[in-house]
């Protein structure tokens, strides 16, 4: 008989047999039930703690979201990070004695004076901010005061420890920790996921570039400036300066002018620096050779324009000299022979028709003429009638003096060499000649960038001075002076761009406010300081090997009179 | 089978077992709670320490920013930016060993060094 049937029998059927046996059965039945109960209790005793629902426990760790990733420079120095900070606020309705509370708080909150604190504590609202970012130490001090109605809450704040350095590039975040400008905006997804972003920028080079441009702005009472340093083998941007700048920790307090990134958002007529491209196009397309002679004496009229030189020439110049002494007329005549189609083709490949493909959204489109007539062709040869950003210029220059393949700038550090093969624009022969000519712009007595020389680092460069565009025509009193350079000339590794906006002629510059006096010296000083940081060794220019590399077969170049023609 | 189940000894041992397992499971449970709390505490400490490290890192970045280091180096160490004639190469040193003279004497560059 099985157990269940027996139990049912015990429960239902009338007791049988002797009263004694009935009693025994009942006791046994009760005993059995008790055993069952204990088995069940024993089971639950084990089961309950083991299967307890742990998911409802919340630890601080789980409640927290992933903090925003850091932005680092190429050496891993922190440029932007997220910190836990304490916000201190008061509920004025709960403050019992505002006068006493003010006195106590003023001791700790040194950023605010007593009147400010009092005003906040007596505000007619339930919330008055006392401090936005408080260190845990100070927060503790406030707690020690024991003022009822003063509260703190922890929150995450974005901090930029380098203050103004590359503030334009970094951009900023809003109160919800969302990127609103610069890398913070363009890399928002990665940063939000807690990933760090490593920039191509080098903070040490950035500091040098900023300091030197700033000093020159002061010396020449200029209104602003910009600067770039690019590694021309990789395209990485090692420094980017736009002045005036701002404290990245207080983006909202910065004016429109301060926030404007002149290096990537500003479009300018960059003047004679364009002659580099004009010459390179002429040599590459075979229209001219370096020693071909150009007429720079007879007047040059095109339409209603008349093209003049800053220093009128008494003798004809060859193509190399046109670049070295920076002749507008010579360049215009060269461009005239190059023609619209070729010029357009090269300009397009150099990237002058489109915004630069950058990792930030602050990248302006160039201004190019709608009609590509003869006058436009000629004026564009010396950088007038076409407005581009400094980023366009330095990148085009990297293409022209580097290895001749089309360069793309990168604001993010490259971890591996590019997979794509860059299309070639200039042949090694053209590049060698351009390097030699640009070296002479700096080293030759008649070159326009003598002040840019940095002994041992063989600076090759070109100055550019242009008058600023007014609503109608040009403003003769307001110059944009720029200098584009590369070093070392025999094997260029880096490009440097300097721009100083509206410098005023000074006594120490004999009243000149042209690029040769303003922008070029900055370039030289910057290169002298950054070359050791970049591991570029000084060389002896007279060493036979280097002389051979930078040779120009143009003996007449050594006979010209020294002058500081600066265009 | 039934006899064994209803035997008083079975009953007593079951009661005993229940009590023992109850006590031990209670102990394990308490230990678990304790460990969980400890774990949470450690996790909070990690978060606090991470936050402190982040603050220290940011402070380090702030204090070691290049323009500040330059100012300090200029003021306290009287250092100046490196000029080209202060840099010599291995080849220059070799030359010096051969000629027994100064490597710098043969260096043709001039500049604004000290």
């Amino acid at each position: 008989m099985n157990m269940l049937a027996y139990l049912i029998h015990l429960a239902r059927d009338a007791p049988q047999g002797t009263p004694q046996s009935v009693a025994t059965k009942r006791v046994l039945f009760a005993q059995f039930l008790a055993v069952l109960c204990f088995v069940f209790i024993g089971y639950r005793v084990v089961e309950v703690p083991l299967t307890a629902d742990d998911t409802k426990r919340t630890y601080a760790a789980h409640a927290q979201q992933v903090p925003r990733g850091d932005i680092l420079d190429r050496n891993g120095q922190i440029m932007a990070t997220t910190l836990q900070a304490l916000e201190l606020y008061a509920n004025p309705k709960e403050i019992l004695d505002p006068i006493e509370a003010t006195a106590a708080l003023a001791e700790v909150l040194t950023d605010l004076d007593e009147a400010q604190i009092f005003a906040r504590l007596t505000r007619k609202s339930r919330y008055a901010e006392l401090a936005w970012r408080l260190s845990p130490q100070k927060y503790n001090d406030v707690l020690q005061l024991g003022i009822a109605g003063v509260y703190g809450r922890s929150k995450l704040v974005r901090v930029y420890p380098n203050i103004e350095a590359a503030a334009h590039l970094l951009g900023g975040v809003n109160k919800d920790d969302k990127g609103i400008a610069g890398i913070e905006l363009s890399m928002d997804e990665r940063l939000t996921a807690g990933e760090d972003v490593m920039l191509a920028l080098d903070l040490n080079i950035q500091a040098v570039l900023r300091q030197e441009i700033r000093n020159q702005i002061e010396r020449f009472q200029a209104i602003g400036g910009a600067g770039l340093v690019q590694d021309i083998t990789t395209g990485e941007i090692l420094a980017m300066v736009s002045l005036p700048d701002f404290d990245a920790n207080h983006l909202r307090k910065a004016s429109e002018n301060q926030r404007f990134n002149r290096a990537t958002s500003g479009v300018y007529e960059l003047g004679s620096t364009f002659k580099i491209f004009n010459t390179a196009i002429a040599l590459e397309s075979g229209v001219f050779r370096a020693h071909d002679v150009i007429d720079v004496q007879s007047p040059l009229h095109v339409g209603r324009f008349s093209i003049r030189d800053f220093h009128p020439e008494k003798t004809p110049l060859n193509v190399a000299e046109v670049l070295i002494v920076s002749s507008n007329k010579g360049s215009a005549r060269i461009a005239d022979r190059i023609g619209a189609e070729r010029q357009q083709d090269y300009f397009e490949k150099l990237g002058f028709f489109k915004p630069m493909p950058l990792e930030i959204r602050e990248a302006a489109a160039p201004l190019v003429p709608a009609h590509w007539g003869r006058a436009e062709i000629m004026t564009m040869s010396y950088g007038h009638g076409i407005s581009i950003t400094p980023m366009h210029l330095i990148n085009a220059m990297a293409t022209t003096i580097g290895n001749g393949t089309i360069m793309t700038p990168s604001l993010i550090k490259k971890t591996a060499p590019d997979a794509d093969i860059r299309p070639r624009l200039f042949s090694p022969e053209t590049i060698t000649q351009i390097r030699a000519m640009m070296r002479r712009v700096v080293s030759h007595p008649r070159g326009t960038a003598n002040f840019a020389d940095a002994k041992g680092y063989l600076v090759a460069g070109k100055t550019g001075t242009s008058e600023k565009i007014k609503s109608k025509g040009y403003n003769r009193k307001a110059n944009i002076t720029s200098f584009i350079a590369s070093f070392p000339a025999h094997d260029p590794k880096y490009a440097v761009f300097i721009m100083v906006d509206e410098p005023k002629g000074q006594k120490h510059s004999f009243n000149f406010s042209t690029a040769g006096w303003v922008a070029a010296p900055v370039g030289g000083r910057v290169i002298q300081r950054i070359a050791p940081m970049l591991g570029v060794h000084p060389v002896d220019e007279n060493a036979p090997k280097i002389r051979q590399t930078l040779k120009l077969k143009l003996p007449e170049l050594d006979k010209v009179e020294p002058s500081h023609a600066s265009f | 089978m039934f006899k064994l189940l209803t035997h008083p000894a079975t009953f007593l041992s079951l009661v005993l077992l229940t009590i023992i397992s109850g006590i031990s499971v209670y102990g394990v449970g308490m230990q678990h709670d304790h460990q969980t709390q400890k774990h949470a505490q450690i996790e909070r400490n990690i978060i606090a320490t991470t936050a402190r490290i982040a603050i220290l890192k940011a402070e380090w970045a702030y204090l070691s920013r290049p323009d500040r280091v330059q100012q300090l180096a200029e003021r306290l160490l009287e250092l100046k930016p490196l000029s080209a004639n202060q840099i010599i190469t291995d080849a220059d040193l070799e030359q010096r060993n051969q000629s027994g003279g100064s490597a710098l004497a043969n260096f043709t560059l001039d500049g604004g060094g000290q």
Side-chain angles (χ1 to χ4, degrees):
Chain A
M1 182 186 271
N2 71 39
M3 188 135 25
L4 188 67
Y6 176 71
L7 288 175
I8 293 166
H9 156 78
L10 281 182
R12 270 174 48 193
D13 298 347
Q16 290 170 359
T18 59
Q20 242 174 344
S21 73
V22 170
T24 313
K25 277 177 185 169
R26 283 181 179 167
V27 168
L28 278 173
F29 181 64
Q31 213 176 343
F32 181 76
L33 279 184
V35 167
L36 262 186
C37 281
F38 273 102
V39 167
F40 180 72
I41 291 167
Y43 167 72
R44 285 291 288 170
V45 155
V46 178
E47 190 241 359
V48 169
L50 290 188
T51 60
D53 189 5
D54 255 358
T55 55
K56 277 179 194 142
R57 289 174 198 259
T58 48
Y59 310 129
H62 300 151
Q64 254 195 358
Q65 71 208 90
V66 194
R68 195 174 172 85
D70 291 348
I71 302 177
L72 310 167
D73 91 333
R74 65 181 303 112
N75 304 315
Q77 278 272 55
I78 294 173
M79 297 187 69
T81 187
T82 295
L83 298 182
Q84 284 274 4
L86 292 149
E87 182 198 5
L88 193 71
Y89 66 100
N91 182 348
K93 291 215 156 50
E94 291 176 14
I95 302 279
L96 297 170
D97 186 347
I99 297 169
E100 195 187 321
T102 301
L105 282 170
E107 296 271 306
V108 182
L109 305 173
T110 43
D111 289 349
L112 296 170
D113 60 37
E114 289 203 16
Q116 284 172 311
I117 296 173
F118 186 77
R120 290 181 198 199
L121 292 183
T122 52
R123 191 183 288 173
K124 281 196 176 63
S125 85
R126 287 178 191 282
Y127 172 86
E129 186 186 284
L130 289 171
W132 182 42
R133 295 171 206 186
L134 211 59
S135 68
Q137 180 63 47
K138 279 212 167 176
Y139 180 64
N140 222 20
D141 292 346
V142 173
L143 286 187
Q144 295 294 318
L145 298 173
I147 304 165
V150 173
Y151 301 95
R153 65 178 160 210
S154 145
K155 62 186 211 173
L156 295 173
V157 289
R158 198 70 170 155
V159 175
Y160 305 92
N162 292 283
I163 324 292
E164 298 100 344
H168 297 93
L169 178 57
L170 293 170
V173 294
N174 62 13
K175 286 214 165 173
D176 302 324
D177 235 15
K178 280 264 158 251
I180 50 167
I183 291 287
E184 295 274 28
L185 171 64
S186 60
M187 298 277 153
D188 196 46
E189 221 167 277
R190 276 177 66 182
L191 291 165
T192 307
E195 228 180 291
D196 292 348
V197 170
M198 195 172 242
L199 300 182
L201 200 97
D202 185 321
L203 273 172
N204 297 313
I205 293 167
Q206 178 75 17
V208 171
L209 188 67
R210 178 171 184 271
Q211 192 184 42
E212 294 294 349
I213 297 174
R214 230 175 129 210
N215 288 349
Q216 200 72 335
I217 288 174
E218 241 165 68
R219 271 167 63 93
F220 282 89
Q221 296 169 283
I223 60 164
L228 287 164
V229 176
Q230 186 177 23
D231 180 331
I232 63 175
T233 48
T234 63
E236 288 170 297
I237 300 296
L238 304 181
M240 180 197 280
V241 170
S242 175
L243 289 163
D245 51 15
F246 57 93
D247 181 346
N249 297 292
H250 302 286
L251 176 66
R252 269 177 291 271
K253 284 188 194 159
S255 69
E256 192 87 359
N257 183 38
Q258 284 172 309
R259 281 205 302 257
F260 185 66
N261 188 349
R262 288 165 162 76
T264 61
S265 298
V267 292
Y268 307 94
E269 291 195 343
L270 290 169
S272 304
T273 50
F274 258 71
K275 288 171 187 161
I276 301 167
F277 312 121
N278 193 51
T279 310
I281 295 167
L283 296 173
E284 183 68 25
S285 57
V287 176
F288 285 104
R289 283 159 300 171
H291 53 79
D292 286 340
V293 176
I294 315 282
D295 168 21
V296 288
Q297 293 132 291
S298 52
L300 180 55
H301 301 288
V302 49
R304 56 193 177 85
F305 294 101
S306 157
I307 295 169
R308 289 191 197 87
D309 275 334
F310 194 71
H311 289 275
E313 298 293 333
K314 298 180 197 79
T315 55
L317 299 174
N318 61 39
V319 170
E321 288 167 322
V322 163
L323 184 68
I324 294 162
V325 306
S326 199
S327 163
N328 289 349
K329 257 192 217 171
S331 299
R333 288 203 201 273
I334 292 170
D336 202 20
R337 286 271 299 279
I338 289 171
E341 207 175 297
R342 252 192 300 245
Q343 193 183 42
Q344 270 179 332
D345 181 43
Y346 275 97
F347 277 15
E348 194 193 349
K349 284 177 182 153
L350 285 168
F352 294 161
F353 293 169
K354 275 192 228 144
M356 271 281 120
L358 290 176
E359 292 96 340
I360 50 172
R361 296 191 196 168
E362 293 86 356
L367 300 175
V368 290
H371 170 68
W372 212 276
R374 195 167 165 237
E376 284 79 16
I377 296 169
M378 288 191 176
T379 54
M380 276 189 290
S381 74
Y382 55 90
H384 286 72
I386 182 165
S387 300
I388 57 168
T389 69
M391 187 61 86
H392 280 94
L393 184 77
I394 197 165
N395 193 64
M397 152 86 173
T399 299
T400 314
I401 205 168
N403 66 0
T405 56
I406 293 168
M407 185 61 71
T408 318
S410 175
L411 299 170
I412 306 295
K413 186 178 180 176
K414 287 190 176 167
T415 47
D418 291 336
D420 311 333
I421 296 161
R422 301 197 294 255
R424 176 166 290 282
L425 193 59
F426 296 113
S427 66
E429 294 74 37
T430 302
I431 292 157
T432 311
Q433 292 184 77
I434 291 290
R435 288 173 182 176
M437 289 177 200
M438 282 179 65
R439 172 63 192 143
R440 279 167 183 75
V441 173
V442 179
S443 68
H444 192 273
R446 280 211 62 192
T448 56
N450 291 167
F451 292 153
D453 210 9
K455 280 267 155 56
Y457 298 117
L458 310 195
V459 182
K462 182 76 195 81
T463 54
T465 307
S466 61
E467 283 154 7
K468 273 182 141 177
I469 305 167
K470 282 194 300 189
S471 52
K472 264 186 182 177
Y474 288 94
N475 182 350
R476 292 198 157 272
K477 281 183 187 146
N479 282 345
I480 291 267
T481 67
S482 53
F483 178 63
I484 182 88
S486 185
F487 70 97
H490 63 288
D491 182 22
K493 291 273 192 290
Y494 301 97
V496 175
F497 171 80
I498 308 288
M499 183 181 92
V500 179
D501 194 352
E502 283 189 36
K504 319 275 181 300
Q506 304 291 318
K507 245 187 190 159
H508 56 76
S509 74
F510 307 99
N511 244 359
F512 279 113
S513 62
T514 50
W517 285 90
V518 184
V522 182
R525 284 199 287 270
V526 167
I527 289 170
Q528 184 150 19
R529 288 181 61 185
I530 67 173
M533 295 177 185
L534 294 166
V536 175
H537 272 279
V539 291
D540 180 1
E541 193 169 10
N542 295 318
K545 215 172 159 188
I546 289 164
R547 275 180 85 108
Q548 185 62 29
T549 323
L550 291 172
K551 199 169 66 179
L552 266 184
K553 286 180 212 149
L554 300 162
E556 60 270 36
L557 258 173
D558 300 326
K559 289 181 203 150
V560 283
E561 294 279 304
S563 105
H564 281 306
S566 303
F567 211 90
Chain B
M1 169 72 190
F2 184 76
K3 266 216 171 120
L4 190 73
L5 259 178
T6 51
H7 197 274
T10 311
F11 178 72
L12 273 174
S13 58
L14 259 172
V15 171
L16 219 73
L17 242 157
T18 308
I19 291 169
I20 291 168
S21 65
I23 289 169
S24 63
V25 168
Y26 176 78
V28 169
M30 284 304 282
Q31 224 176 345
H32 169 253
D33 274 6
H34 185 69
Q35 294 289 342
T36 310
Q37 273 175 24
K38 233 168 117 177
H39 174 241
Q41 178 64 43
I42 289 169
E43 240 172 276
R44 273 196 299 275
N45 281 349
I46 290 172
I47 290 162
T49 311
T50 313
R52 266 178 54 88
I53 290 171
I55 289 174
L56 289 171
K57 271 186 173 171
E59 255 173 39
W60 170 245
Y62 175 71
L63 293 172
S64 65
R65 57 192 200 281
D67 47 342
R68 179 172 179 272
V69 172
Q70 192 199 338
Q71 273 181 17
L72 293 175
E74 277 171 8
R75 206 179 68 222
L76 304 170
L77 304 173
E78 292 179 28
L79 289 178
K80 277 187 174 172
L82 203 61
S83 88
N85 64 347
Q86 290 170 304
I87 303 168
I88 54 169
T89 60
D90 296 348
D92 296 320
L93 286 174
E94 246 164 63
Q95 216 177 339
R96 172 196 158 113
N97 286 341
Q98 279 162 15
S99 64
S102 159
L104 290 167
N106 294 325
F107 211 59
T108 52
L109 298 163
D110 55 86
Q114 299 299 300

mmCIF file of all heavy atoms in Angstrom, chain A residues 408-420:
data_model
loop_
_atom_site.group_PDB
_atom_site.id
_atom_site.type_symbol
_atom_site.label_atom_id
_atom_site.label_comp_id
_atom_site.label_asym_id
_atom_site.label_seq_id
_atom_site.Cartn_x
_atom_site.Cartn_y
_atom_site.Cartn_z
ATOM 1 N N THR A 408 46.486 65.664 -46.108
ATOM 2 C CA THR A 408 45.234 65.934 -45.385
ATOM 3 C C THR A 408 45.590 66.217 -43.934
ATOM 4 O O THR A 408 46.330 65.441 -43.326
ATOM 5 C CB THR A 408 44.292 64.713 -45.429
ATOM 6 O OG1 THR A 408 44.328 64.163 -46.737
ATOM 7 C CG2 THR A 408 42.880 65.093 -45.070
ATOM 8 N N PRO A 409 45.095 67.349 -43.397
ATOM 9 C CA PRO A 409 45.441 67.655 -42.008
ATOM 10 C C PRO A 409 44.718 66.719 -41.046
ATOM 11 O O PRO A 409 43.633 66.228 -41.351
ATOM 12 C CB PRO A 409 44.940 69.088 -41.830
ATOM 13 C CG PRO A 409 43.849 69.238 -42.818
ATOM 14 C CD PRO A 409 44.187 68.348 -43.977
ATOM 15 N N SER A 410 45.347 66.469 -39.906
ATOM 16 C CA SER A 410 44.697 65.646 -38.892
ATOM 17 C C SER A 410 44.869 66.281 -37.526
ATOM 18 O O SER A 410 45.977 66.622 -37.119
ATOM 19 C CB SER A 410 45.295 64.237 -38.881
ATOM 20 O OG SER A 410 44.735 63.504 -37.828
ATOM 21 N N LEU A 411 43.763 66.441 -36.825
ATOM 22 C CA LEU A 411 43.815 67.017 -35.479
ATOM 23 C C LEU A 411 43.960 65.916 -34.436
ATOM 24 O O LEU A 411 44.252 66.166 -33.279
ATOM 25 C CB LEU A 411 42.539 67.820 -35.194
ATOM 26 C CG LEU A 411 42.286 68.997 -36.136
ATOM 27 C CD1 LEU A 411 40.893 69.563 -35.917
ATOM 28 C CD2 LEU A 411 43.329 70.073 -35.919
ATOM 29 N N ILE A 412 43.722 64.682 -34.858
ATOM 30 C CA ILE A 412 43.802 63.530 -33.964
ATOM 31 C C ILE A 412 45.127 62.829 -34.215
ATOM 32 O O ILE A 412 45.568 62.701 -35.356
ATOM 33 C CB ILE A 412 42.627 62.560 -34.243
ATOM 34 C CG1 ILE A 412 41.287 63.290 -34.163
ATOM 35 C CG2 ILE A 412 42.664 61.363 -33.313
ATOM 36 C CD1 ILE A 412 40.923 63.830 -32.802
ATOM 37 N N LYS A 413 45.762 62.370 -33.140
ATOM 38 C CA LYS A 413 47.048 61.694 -33.281
ATOM 39 C C LYS A 413 46.897 60.428 -34.120
ATOM 40 O O LYS A 413 45.968 59.658 -33.926
ATOM 41 C CB LYS A 413 47.592 61.333 -31.899
ATOM 42 C CG LYS A 413 49.006 60.754 -31.972
ATOM 43 C CD LYS A 413 49.543 60.458 -30.590
ATOM 44 C CE LYS A 413 50.938 59.884 -30.678
ATOM 45 N NZ LYS A 413 51.538 59.670 -29.372
ATOM 46 N N LYS A 414 47.825 60.259 -35.040
ATOM 47 C CA LYS A 414 47.779 59.069 -35.887
ATOM 48 C C LYS A 414 48.581 57.960 -35.222
ATOM 49 O O LYS A 414 49.702 58.176 -34.785
ATOM 50 C CB LYS A 414 48.345 59.386 -37.270
ATOM 51 C CG LYS A 414 47.399 60.241 -38.079
ATOM 52 C CD LYS A 414 47.817 60.363 -39.524
ATOM 53 C CE LYS A 414 46.782 61.157 -40.300
ATOM 54 N NZ LYS A 414 47.274 61.573 -41.609
ATOM 55 N N THR A 415 47.973 56.790 -35.153
ATOM 56 C CA THR A 415 48.645 55.683 -34.494
ATOM 57 C C THR A 415 49.292 54.742 -35.498
ATOM 58 O O THR A 415 50.184 53.988 -35.170
ATOM 59 C CB THR A 415 47.655 54.892 -33.619
ATOM 60 O OG1 THR A 415 46.482 54.647 -34.402
ATOM 61 C CG2 THR A 415 47.278 55.681 -32.388
ATOM 62 N N ALA A 416 48.827 54.828 -36.739
ATOM 63 C CA ALA A 416 49.404 53.979 -37.786
ATOM 64 C C ALA A 416 49.526 54.801 -39.062
ATOM 65 O O ALA A 416 48.792 55.772 -39.244
ATOM 66 C CB ALA A 416 48.499 52.780 -38.025
ATOM 67 N N PRO A 417 50.457 54.457 -39.927
ATOM 68 C CA PRO A 417 50.559 55.196 -41.177
ATOM 69 C C PRO A 417 49.290 55.030 -42.011
ATOM 70 O O PRO A 417 48.586 54.028 -41.880
ATOM 71 C CB PRO A 417 51.762 54.561 -41.887
ATOM 72 C CG PRO A 417 52.173 53.391 -41.087
ATOM 73 C CD PRO A 417 51.455 53.384 -39.792
ATOM 74 N N ASP A 418 49.006 56.047 -42.834
ATOM 75 C CA ASP A 418 47.790 56.009 -43.651
ATOM 76 C C ASP A 418 47.770 54.788 -44.560
ATOM 77 O O ASP A 418 48.791 54.414 -45.143
ATOM 78 C CB ASP A 418 47.697 57.274 -44.507
ATOM 79 C CG ASP A 418 47.425 58.497 -43.642
ATOM 80 O OD1 ASP A 418 46.873 58.313 -42.549
ATOM 81 O OD2 ASP A 418 47.780 59.607 -44.062
ATOM 82 N N ALA A 419 46.593 54.222 -44.654
ATOM 83 C CA ALA A 419 46.454 53.043 -45.509
ATOM 84 C C ALA A 419 46.419 53.457 -46.987
ATOM 85 O O ALA A 419 46.982 52.782 -47.846
ATOM 86 C CB ALA A 419 45.193 52.283 -45.139
ATOM 87 N N ASP A 420 45.760 54.607 -47.228
ATOM 88 C CA ASP A 420 45.635 55.040 -48.628
ATOM 89 C C ASP A 420 46.937 55.664 -49.115
ATOM 90 O O ASP A 420 47.637 56.329 -48.362
ATOM 91 C CB ASP A 420 44.527 56.099 -48.775
ATOM 92 C CG ASP A 420 43.254 55.664 -48.089
ATOM 93 O OD1 ASP A 420 43.062 54.448 -47.976
ATOM 94 O OD2 ASP A 420 42.482 56.547 -47.652
#
